[in-house]
Amino acid sequence: MRVHLDRQLCQGHGRCYALAPAVYEPDDNGHGLVATDPVPDSSHEAARLGSANCPEDAITVADD
Ligand code: F3S
């Protein structure tokens, strides 16, 4: 699985890294970063959870 976080769309809501810290992490300003890409099988559910909960729809996930 590949995950992309659009830094132009991200407004720093922080739900992604709060809900799925294995996949997302904050930068120094609280905006999201992808911590692991590609995403290992064990974190696919977390990656989707973070994507689904971003209010800005900034995160897209794609299965390989
Ligand atoms: Fe940004 Fe969405 Fe996460 S706005 S910090 S990508 S929940």
Side-chain angles (χ1 to χ4, degrees), residues 12-33:
H13 293 288
R15 295 185 190 175
C16 55
Y17 51 78
L19 291 167
V23 181
Y24 308 101
E25 62 188 11
D27 69 9
D28 291 342
N29 298 312
H31 290 78
L33 297 170

Side-chain angles (χ1 to χ4, degrees), residues 2 5-6 8 13 26 28 36 38-39 42 47-48 50 53-54 57:
R2 304 302 303 264
L5 194 158
D6 189 326
Q8 307 278 354
H13 293 288
D28 291 342
T36 177
V39 180
S42 58
R48 289 195 182 93
N53 281 277
C54 175
D57 285 335

